[in-house]
Amino acid sequence: MFPMKLIVQKFGGTSVADTSALKIVAERIIDRKKQGYEVVVVPSAMGSSTDELIDLANELSAKPTPREMDMLLSAGERITMSLLSMHLNSLGHSSFSLTGSQAGIITTSRHGKAEIEEISGERVREGIERGDIVIVAGFQGFNRDTREITTLGRGGSDATAVALAAALGAEKCEIFTDVEGVFTADPRIIDSAKLIDEITYDEMLEMSSSGAGVLMARSVEFGRRYNVPIIVKSTFANNKGTIVKEKIMEEAIVSGVTHNDKEVKFTLFGVPDQPGIAGTVFGSLSEIGTNVDMIVQNVSKESITDISFTAPSEQQKDVEDTLKNISKKLDAKGYDVDENIARISIIGAGMKSESGVASKMFKTLGDNKINISMISTSPIRVSCVISSSDIERALNVLHEEFITK
Ligand code: ADP
Ligand code: ASP
Ligand code: MG
């Protein structure tokens, strides 16, 4: 639709933390303008202001309604978008800001975890045609049926940016953050982590889903579905960053080691081992929107079994409420929650054609006296649930074994 070159640039919380950071962001935008690009910008809320807003809500209410939570949290990105636009205007660049709903970002109705369904983007296109820098608030949208503002889940500005890039037919989407790109492990924890120059959507999706918070998993899904190249790089260092795309030159056996310590393990014990039980348990959990991750059903003894699964810590309260009901309904003995668990994963497309990778991972953990309580795999990932107190050590030994060696 647009013959011109178009780019979407997203700036994360640290990149827009204060007015001096916003001035650097403006330079990044103007650089692209000077190169002949039309630019659409997606800012996050300033610094840790989303967390601060959540704290304020919790001071006043034990269980704020999801609707008011979204009204509150969507305000974070609105502050950044208007400040950035004012600054660009003051520098002589024509710019204006839009909320998610003004930009036509249509989502499902689930507050706090809405999914983008469609982007009409009329006002964004009008702005681009006039040559304006259009700034669209990240992390938020609008549901047509409920006529409510929604938010997309933590890290959701990444999804706004890549979905917008897809809808507008942008050449690429740049994700500016506080690290120089995607690393072989979280660079804040592993000093020897290496910057990855290029990675496939499939591998990045596994990395994001298993804890590499640098890109929200859903943004990678949009990138893959619409073939939008995603470039992750630092706002403050002028570097090439990491490119996430369909095909890369060389597929490593293990590209990265990720960890997630924001999950809890639930065990429903003494459940009658009959057909349909798992369906009842996970059906009820899916009704409340639980993102169940790993599942293990024990061997049954005298037609009684235990079922364990992991889910995000933020859903712990809701899952416990549901388990209380299910446990009564199924005449189970009860349930148990283990908060001291974490998940460690290795990811690599080269695993598909290499045998023995999983067993090497188990052996490395075993040699270091790290006990594994659950295992799950995909063709390009192996994950183990271990004790949260072992996570940093596990990350170090696996990074050493599979990346540094
Ligand atoms: P933003 O606010 O810019 O969206 P995030 O905090 O969401 O930034 O994501 C950047 C953070 O992701 C980094 O500070 C880093 O600690 C973390 N991270 C975790 N795993 C990785 C990884 N494999 N590569 C790069 N960063 C990672
Ligand atoms: N401000 C939101 C968050 O902190 C969205 C984002 O930054 O991507 O999760
Ligand atoms: Mg983020």
Side-chain angles (χ1 to χ4, degrees):
M1 176 174 188
F2 294 110
M4 73 276 271
K5 291 202 291 184
L6 175 69
I7 196 164
V8 175
Q9 296 185 306
K10 179 255 170 180
F11 295 90
T14 331
S15 309
V16 295
D18 50 32
T19 50
S20 21
L22 282 174
K23 287 178 186 169
I24 297 172
V25 164
E27 285 172 22
R28 299 280 168 269
I29 298 168
I30 295 165
D31 282 350
R32 285 300 188 195
K33 265 304 237 192
K34 284 188 182 149
Q35 290 165 1
Y37 280 97
E38 295 305 327
V39 188
V40 173
V41 181
V42 177
S44 287
M46 294 172 81
S48 48
S49 62
T50 305
D51 291 324
E52 285 152 22
L53 291 172
I54 294 172
D55 290 345
L56 286 178
N58 291 335
E59 274 177 37
L60 294 171
S61 165
K63 216 173 177 191
T65 64
R67 177 196 187 268
E68 296 307 333
M69 235 18 225
D70 277 358
M71 294 302 278
L72 177 70
L73 297 190
S74 57
E77 270 68 11
R78 293 184 62 165
I79 293 174
T80 329
M81 72 178 197
S82 41
L83 286 175
L84 185 56
S85 180
M86 282 172 205
H87 178 54
L88 287 164
N89 286 332
S90 78
L91 295 174
H93 292 272
S94 178
S95 161
F96 69 101
S97 63
L98 296 169
T99 63
S101 52
Q102 286 175 320
I105 298 181
I106 307 302
T107 72
T108 55
S109 60
R110 172 164 290 173
H111 285 296
K113 241 185 174 6
E115 289 184 35
I116 298 176
E117 287 185 320
E118 180 196 329
I119 299 185
S120 55
E122 263 165 56
R123 296 182 66 181
V124 183
R125 287 192 181 87
E126 284 165 18
I128 297 170
E129 273 162 19
R130 282 198 302 269
D132 291 345
I133 298 166
V134 186
I135 305 186
V136 179
F139 177 58
Q140 55 186 274
F142 177 77
N143 178 262
R144 284 200 180 111
D145 300 328
T146 59
R147 294 178 297 168
E148 296 288 10
I149 303 285
T150 53
T151 64
L152 310 177
R154 299 308 303 265
S157 299
D158 296 338
T160 306
V162 182
L164 256 175
L168 299 169
E171 186 183 296
K172 55 189 164 189
C173 182
E174 289 180 321
I175 304 281
F176 286 91
T177 183
D178 57 355
V179 288
E180 289 187 18
V182 181
F183 284 76
T184 50
D186 188 339
R188 304 237 174 269
I189 299 179
I190 301 295
D191 290 339
S192 59
K194 293 186 211 147
L195 182 70
I196 300 172
D197 293 329
E198 43 179 32
I199 187 166
T200 59
Y201 294 118
D202 287 345
E203 282 182 300
M204 192 62 228
L205 195 51
E206 292 280 12
M207 289 206 36
S208 296
S209 318
S210 61
V214 62
L215 269 183
M216 190 206 207
R218 205 168 295 143
S219 72
V220 186
E221 272 169 11
F222 280 119
R224 180 171 67 177
R225 191 174 330 146
Y226 299 103
N227 208 5
V228 181
I230 304 171
I231 293 102
V232 184
K233 56 171 139 178
S234 161
T235 308
F236 308 106
N238 224 340
N239 71 327
K240 262 179 67 192
T242 303
I243 174 155
V244 189
K245 56 185 188 174
E246 183 71 43
K247 281 205 168 63
I248 63 168
M249 295 288 281
E250 222 178 298
E251 289 189 332
I253 294 170
V254 173
S255 301
V257 186
T258 58
H259 71 290
N260 181 353
D261 52 9
K262 295 182 186 69
E263 288 197 352
V264 277
K265 180 174 143 193
F266 300 91
T267 303
L268 193 57
F269 51 90
V271 190
D273 191 8
Q274 291 158 2
I277 291 290
T280 310
V281 174
F282 294 105
S284 312
L285 289 168
S286 100
E287 267 170 35
I288 60 158
T290 316
N291 299 97
V292 173
D293 186 24
M294 288 192 201
I295 303 175
V296 171
Q297 180 171 339
N298 285 354
V299 179
S300 63
K301 263 191 228 143
E302 291 156 9
S303 301
I304 298 277
T305 189
D306 299 338
I307 301 176
S308 298
F309 62 92
T310 60
S313 317
E314 59 185 29
Q315 297 180 329
Q316 182 173 343
K317 251 192 177 158
D318 295 338
V319 172
E320 281 194 53
D321 289 345
T322 305
L323 286 185
K324 250 180 231 157
N325 292 333
I326 298 178
S327 158
K328 259 194 225 132
K329 202 161 113 190
L330 297 181
D331 206 17
K333 289 221 175 77
Y335 70 89
D336 184 37
V337 189
D338 186 355
E339 295 172 10
N340 300 317
I341 59 127
R343 176 150 70 115
I344 183 101
S345 311
I346 56 173
I347 289 107
M351 255 184 230
K352 281 181 292 199
S353 49
E354 179 89 9
S355 63
V357 182
S359 59
K360 193 160 145 193
M361 177 181 189
F362 306 149
K363 183 172 185 308
T364 308
L365 292 174
D367 288 349
N368 286 280
K369 307 262 177 305
I370 297 169
N371 191 46
I372 302 170
S373 67
M374 287 168 123
I375 295 168
S376 86
T377 62
S378 86
I380 60 168
R381 174 186 51 79
V382 185
S383 303
C384 298
V385 170
I386 59 175
S387 159
S388 53
S389 56
D390 287 332
I391 195 70
E392 205 166 320
R393 216 155 44 85
L395 203 50
N396 269 294
V397 295
L398 292 177
H399 191 267
E400 174 66 30
E401 179 64 41
F402 288 103
I403 310 279
T404 316
K405 249 188 188 173

